[in-house]
Amino acid sequence: MDRIMYKDDLLYCEGVSVEEIVKKVGTPLYIYSANTILDHYRKFDAAFEKVEHLICYSVKVNSNIAIIKLLSDEGSGFDIVSGGELYRVIEACSDTSKVVYAGVGKTDDEITMALKNNIMLFNIESFTEAERINEIAKKMGRVANIAVRINPDVEAKTHKFIITGTKENKFGLPIDKAFEIFAFLKDLKALNVVGIHSHIGSQLVSVEPYIKAVSKLNKLINNLRTNGFKIEILNIGGGYGIIYKDENPPTPFELSNAILPLIKDLNLKLLMEPGRLIVGNSGILVTKVLYYKESYSKNFVIVDAGMNDLIRPAFYEAYHRVEYIRKRSDTELKKVDIVGPVCESADFFAQDYEMNIPLSGDLLAIRSAGAYGFSMASNYNSRPRCAEVLVDGKDFRIIRKRESYRDIIRGESL
């Protein structure tokens, strides 16, 4: 169910008109639908109810503490990749017992922080990382639960920058080194090896890569167990795709129907790390039209949001649908580039996009912006980061204030 929809030519998020929010908060502005987030989480959770499982929301996708709190209250765990993300979870809900810590470059301070806060487990990505966690845990008198991240060398048909499970990627350990790493871990007494982790890419719109990866991991788990290694957890990662334009990603139930038969005899706990699927289509970036400009072979719509607010089009050449907040049909239909004020040619949200020419002051919604939007925002060009709003039914609240110029120089000194 799309809770960001038109009512009489005016765009609403749940029961609140976007225009009403803009009048109080200004632009640019991220708006999220709380009930869309909850609906997506609950559907994913229900799809895997036949097995013991834990959904660990991927904090990097949208890390606002209000959204972390919203999902924590539903019983979600969390997938983190930094000490900062762990800090967010602590601030949002204080429960770190369902935190899974991934990432190739954990520092000593981050490892110490995670151990002090009794996280569920670390996903380790190298022999040297295992040694480091073991050393720190031993000094602290702790035992760290770990899963070994395995790179299954499965091609995920997605953008080259978000493929993570092939031989060329920095993530995980080669599947053919699995026995070597597990044998190595036996001698590290401050580590408790509980499982296997894999993550093959992001924005995947087919079940086939998951089937290939889980099939390989199924065989590996059986071989490891035969040789005396204990495997209690299988974490299949995230990367579940959403609709931006004309994609046809599998539903959570289609995913579970494909994956569960492959693990039904393994008798283990299944972990998953969805992020984009939970929040991607819950959010929009609202921006105001500043100017319209005709150039040589291009027509430009210049808006007040920039690539510092939403970098996906510049970074991945990603498509985002753009809509009027108040529908307009009284101007000429043309192909335009929708661009921001940042001093980069990559500062665009859409190119050769057909729409009725907007007038200065018109409001536009950039759709499917709930994932990798604000969390990848920056202060490039010394632009303050925008505000974030969470809508719940007929109510909305600011969950991040718009930055001021003073905010962007905080921490600097002459």
Side-chain angles (χ1 to χ4, degrees), residues 40 44 158 162 201-207 210 238-244 247-252 255 274-278 280-281:
H40 290 171
F44 200 91
T158 187
I162 49 179
S202 191
Q203 182 54 12
L204 307 186
V205 293
S206 167
V207 298
Y210 292 105
Y240 317 105
I242 65 170
I243 299 171
Y244 286 99
E247 300 92 341
N248 186 29
T251 67
L255 281 166
R276 189 193 311 263
L277 182 146
I278 303 294
N281 281 324

Side-chain angles (χ1 to χ4, degrees), residues 120-300:
M120 181 180 180
L121 61 86
F122 294 92
N123 293 325
I124 64 157
E125 306 227 14
S126 66
F127 288 80
T128 49
E129 181 192 347
E131 288 179 314
R132 184 67 59 83
I133 295 174
N134 180 71
E135 180 184 338
I136 294 170
K138 187 189 297 183
K139 286 180 180 177
M140 295 175 65
R142 302 289 183 95
V143 174
N145 292 329
I146 65 165
V148 178
R149 180 166 180 175
I150 296 295
N151 183 328
D153 192 28
V154 168
E155 182 67 40
K157 295 178 181 178
T158 187
H159 191 281
K160 63 182 180 179
F161 287 171
I162 49 179
I163 293 172
T164 59
T166 64
K167 291 177 180 177
E168 294 78 18
N169 302 125
K170 69 181 179 180
F171 300 99
L173 288 151
I175 195 166
D176 58 9
K177 283 186 175 286
F179 279 87
E180 185 179 341
I181 182 69
F182 274 84
F184 174 78
L185 293 170
K186 269 189 171 182
D187 295 326
L188 302 182
K189 303 305 181 185
L191 301 185
N192 178 33
V193 186
V194 296
I196 284 179
H197 173 239
S198 177
H199 178 78
I200 55 176
S202 191
Q203 182 54 12
L204 307 186
V205 293
S206 167
V207 298
E208 293 308 316
Y210 292 105
I211 291 172
K212 290 178 181 178
V214 174
S215 296
K216 284 189 172 186
L217 296 173
N218 180 318
K219 184 177 179 181
L220 174 61
I221 290 168
N222 281 316
N223 288 339
L224 286 166
R225 284 176 169 173
T226 299
N227 285 272
F229 297 107
K230 180 180 67 173
I231 307 294
E232 300 172 352
I233 290 173
L234 172 61
N235 184 341
I236 61 171
Y240 317 105
I242 65 170
I243 299 171
Y244 286 99
K245 187 178 183 181
D246 52 11
E247 300 92 341
N248 186 29
T251 67
F253 283 95
E254 288 169 337
L255 281 166
S256 66
N257 288 338
I259 291 168
L260 294 187
L262 302 174
I263 65 166
K264 62 183 176 64
D265 297 326
L266 292 177
N267 190 30
L268 43 65
K269 184 171 184 175
L270 181 67
L271 268 57
M272 295 156 289
E273 300 165 351
R276 189 193 311 263
L277 182 146
I278 303 294
V279 297
N281 281 324
S282 76
I284 56 175
L285 173 60
V286 182
T287 183
K288 181 171 66 177
V289 175
L290 299 176
Y291 310 108
Y292 174 72
K293 180 171 86 170
E294 294 183 353
S295 191
Y296 293 97
S297 59
K298 287 278 190 178
N299 304 305
F300 295 99

Side-chain angles (χ1 to χ4, degrees), residues 376-406:
M376 295 179 76
S378 75
N379 293 123
Y380 185 48
N381 280 191
S382 291
R383 288 171 49 82
R385 290 179 299 172
C386 63
E388 293 178 285
V389 161
L390 186 65
V391 180
D392 186 355
K394 293 184 178 181
D395 300 315
F396 72 90
R397 60 190 176 95
I398 297 170
I399 58 173
R400 181 191 292 271
K401 294 180 180 178
R402 186 179 309 282
E403 287 183 335
S404 66
Y405 290 139
R406 173 59 56 183

